[in-house]
Amino acid sequence: MADIVKDRCPRCIDWPTYEKIRDIVRDNRAEYMRNKTRGAPRDGELLLHGIAWCGRCGHKMYIRYKGGGEYVCNHLHSHACLPDCQRIRASPIDAAVAGAFLAALAPAELDAVSRTRQAQHHVNKALRGLILIAAL
């Protein structure tokens, strides 16, 4: 990476924002075996692509779409000629992740509906006041 001279020229973003963006870009590099980064999201329908880790050996799992989707840990196979650590069908995992995600959003959604109803109540009250004034 090039040398950076901090606070030398006018900037478009502040230093903490630059560091955050730099870290995201660095983490998106698909070099797992060398520096254990997450890698960039890839095309595909499964939810945990690039962020699933094996609960047995701790290595990154990859997605296999052939024969239906599955999360596969083949680190032992590819590095020690041993059988795959584990293969997990993706459909029940993705269903559980989607359910947990929607459950986490439910309180925020209810709060948004409540605030919308309150705002509508205030608008209706203001309109009723204007109608009464106009009727006089």
Side-chain angles (χ1 to χ4, degrees), residues 33-96:
M33 292 313 300
R34 192 172 65 141
N35 58 15
K36 308 293 190 240
T37 58
R38 180 187 50 180
R42 304 274 190 242
D43 289 337
E45 61 192 41
L46 300 186
L47 298 178
L48 302 179
H49 193 106
I51 59 173
W53 299 85
C54 180
R56 291 183 183 159
C57 70
H59 287 90
K60 189 174 182 180
M61 298 180 86
Y62 78 95
I63 303 297
R64 181 176 290 156
Y65 285 104
K66 187 176 181 179
E70 61 183 1
Y71 297 102
V72 179
C73 177
N74 73 339
H75 180 79
L76 297 176
H77 178 73
S78 62
H79 291 86
C81 295
L82 296 170
D84 287 344
C85 187
Q86 63 178 326
R87 294 168 179 248
I88 303 170
R89 299 298 305 165
S91 54
I93 302 296
D94 284 4

